[in-house]
DNA sequence: AGCGCCTCTTGATCTGGGTCAAAGAATTCA
DNA sequence: TGAATTCTTTGACCCAGATCAAGAGGCGCT
């Protein structure tokens, strides 16, 4: 429950309004002003827990910079990541009180938050915000279900390839890079976090990454810097049918 | 794409309006009349595919009687069930054109449908319908994420116990039975369907069910009729923390 | 520089669940 | 009534990935 609340908002709002896919894209001036009034920033350090499962959740918001994960844990410690929040992703459940899972910052993290009550009120008044929220939730649901296929039916190698593909695609989209060019990015997750995402052990993750490297599917510099020479090849390894758009 | 459309609506609407958690509960007379005008029934036989992945989906609706599954399939035939639709569950994505997965009737099935366009229009006019939809989608998302934990981290035995618990709880809720009493129900799924839900093979499903039976966690009469003497025990076997509410 | 602390890699071995195979219910059809 | 079909169970064996164990960088600290 160690939540550093930095009400100081050094960033210009324009930035986050453009970045978070959430509520801004179709708001008029008036509505943006309303949003501004209930908006604040929160910063977290890498490793910090934003929210524990069961906590009251009095805000909604979106990631500005950094990465957070949603995880569920069994009493005996087995944990499964159920969501990955990259910049521009939305967190929060309007109408819900309790967080259903832990939210953890895996890197230093800045979030743009809105207090929940006022946000909900605004939602009632501006239908297109509710629409947007529904759309986003449906996206998340699709992604979760895509991920169920990965967890339930894919081999370790396919799982790793799938995860790399998601990150690569997501990264490429943010950079507006062409999709057939080679993709370069830094892995935002530790091997352990990847294993939690994929329902594997970290040893298996490591081995499979080594294998993909040996087979030329990816090029690794250091432990985190990845180059994907051919997205097509990667997707093939992932067992994906040509495209398919799984995002967190 | 074999969709039997039975516009004949033998059922009184009251029934489905009460039953589907969807749009009706808070509608006034006027809105109900509007809904009536765009409502129709569809019947399917067991095994029939309601919708193929990629199909245009021109309706939304909810299950009146019977059971349907949402499944995703890889090119090589591996399939994963990603959702289970029991009576009163909602299907459809307002604002989306294509179905992202196959919808299959596993028993004879009756659905109460609304044509999508008019439904969406109505949604724009009546905010509480959109709210309700958002709530439902968030429920589904929670259920999907709960299921990711099952798929990623639970053993075969725990998976089976989890599935039985879901069905039992769901059934008990529908019947308004007390939660500590023993629960009796018929399995609505074949062993194969269960294996698709759980990311297992049907042989493993069979073996684990036998094991749970031998250990007295469940009592089986025939292949489908199940008695759960103690929900507590079953949940324990599922690795669940006391309660926890995963519903499709 | 030297030490402790992470994160990651790699090897050796074990095992839960997959695969292959066969045969027992239950149901439908003729 | 028996034959065909579908669903289910059970057995024997195997392998992908888990587990256990030992190092190998890398980085901040004193």
């Amino acid at each position: 429950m160690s939540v550093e609340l930095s009400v100081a908002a050094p960033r210009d709002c324009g930035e986050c309004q453009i970045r978070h896919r959430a509520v801004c894209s179709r708001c008029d001036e008036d509505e943006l002003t309303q949003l501004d009034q209930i908006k604040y920033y929160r910063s977290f350090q890498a490793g910090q827990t934003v929210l524990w499962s069961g906590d009251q959740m009095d805000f909604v918001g979106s990631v500005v910079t950094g990465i957070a994960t949603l995880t569920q844990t069994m009493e005996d410690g087995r944990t499964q990541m159920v969501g990955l929040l990259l910049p521009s992703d939305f967190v929060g459940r309007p109408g819900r009180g309790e967080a259903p899972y832990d939210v953890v910052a895996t890197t230093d993290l800045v979030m743009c938050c809105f207090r929940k009550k006022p946000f909900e009120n605004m939602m009632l008044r501006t239908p297109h915000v509710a629409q947007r929220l529904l759309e986003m939730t449906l996206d998340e649901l699709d992604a979760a279900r895509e991920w169920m296929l990965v967890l339930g039916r894919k081999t370790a190698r396919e799982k790793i390839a799938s995860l790399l593909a998601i990150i690569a695609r997501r990264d490429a989209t943010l950079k507006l890079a062409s999709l057939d060019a080679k993709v370069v990015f830094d892995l935002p997750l530790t091997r352990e976090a990847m294993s939690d995402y994929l329902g594997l052990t970290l040893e298996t993750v490591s081995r499979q990454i080594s294998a993909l490297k040996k087979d030329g599917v990816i090029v690794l510099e250091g432990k985190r810097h990845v180059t994907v020479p051919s997205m097509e090849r990667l997707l093939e390894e992932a067992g994906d049918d040509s495209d398919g758009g799984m995002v967190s």
Side-chain angles (χ1 to χ4, degrees), chain A residues 89-153:
Chain A
D89 279 337
F90 186 81
V91 216
R93 4 268 340 266
R96 301 309 178 75
E98 278 186 13
Y101 25 66
D102 301 336
V103 181
V104 181
T106 56
T107 64
D108 288 347
L109 179 72
V110 177
M111 292 187 50
C112 175
C113 301
F114 304 94
R115 287 187 298 118
K116 204 174 70 175
K117 264 274 132 47
F119 184 86
E120 284 171 353
N121 291 338
M122 170 161 184
M123 227 176 74
L124 284 174
R125 271 175 284 123
T126 55
H128 72 260
V129 171
Q131 293 279 102
R132 191 70 247 278
L133 229 35
L134 180 58
E135 254 174 66
M136 283 168 37
T137 308
L138 286 170
D139 280 344
E140 277 187 86
L141 185 57
D142 284 346
R145 286 176 164 167
E146 192 84 34
W147 205 253
M148 287 172 74
L149 177 64
V150 174
L151 287 172
R153 292 303 185 192

Side-chain angles (χ1 to χ4, degrees), chain A residues 189-237:
Chain A
L189 301 175
T190 66
R191 301 290 187 265
E192 190 184 23
M194 289 191 241
S195 74
D196 282 342
Y197 209 145
L198 298 167
L200 298 170
T201 59
L202 85 178
E203 293 96 326
T204 299
V205 170
S206 180
R207 274 187 251 272
Q208 295 301 333
I209 289 181
S210 298
L212 288 175
K213 179 181 168 187
K214 186 163 71 62
D215 298 346
V217 182
I218 57 173
V219 179
L220 258 189
E221 285 158 288
K223 287 149 195 311
R224 298 292 194 90
H225 193 73
V226 179
T227 304
V228 179
S230 157
M231 269 309 270
E232 206 160 340
R233 174 72 194 286
L234 183 61
L235 288 172
E236 195 180 302
E237 290 286 350

Side-chain angles (χ1 to χ4, degrees), chain A residues 5-58:
Chain A
L5 202 155
S6 80
V7 186
R11 252 153 287 268
D12 176 40
C13 185
E15 182 191 347
C16 92
Q17 279 175 6
I18 289 161
R19 297 200 65 156
H20 59 69
R21 302 180 299 171
V23 277
C24 299
S25 56
R26 280 147 63 194
C27 286
D28 61 29
E29 268 310 307
D30 226 41
E31 289 159 4
L32 283 181
T33 310
Q34 285 177 41
L35 278 174
D36 270 349
Q37 284 164 6
I38 59 173
K39 188 188 66 192
Y40 59 95
Y41 288 91
R42 261 172 152 178
S43 303
F44 302 89
Q45 290 168 9
Q48 231 182 332
T49 297
V50 177
L51 212 54
W52 292 98
S53 166
D55 277 4
Q56 276 311 113
M57 204 173 170
D58 57 351

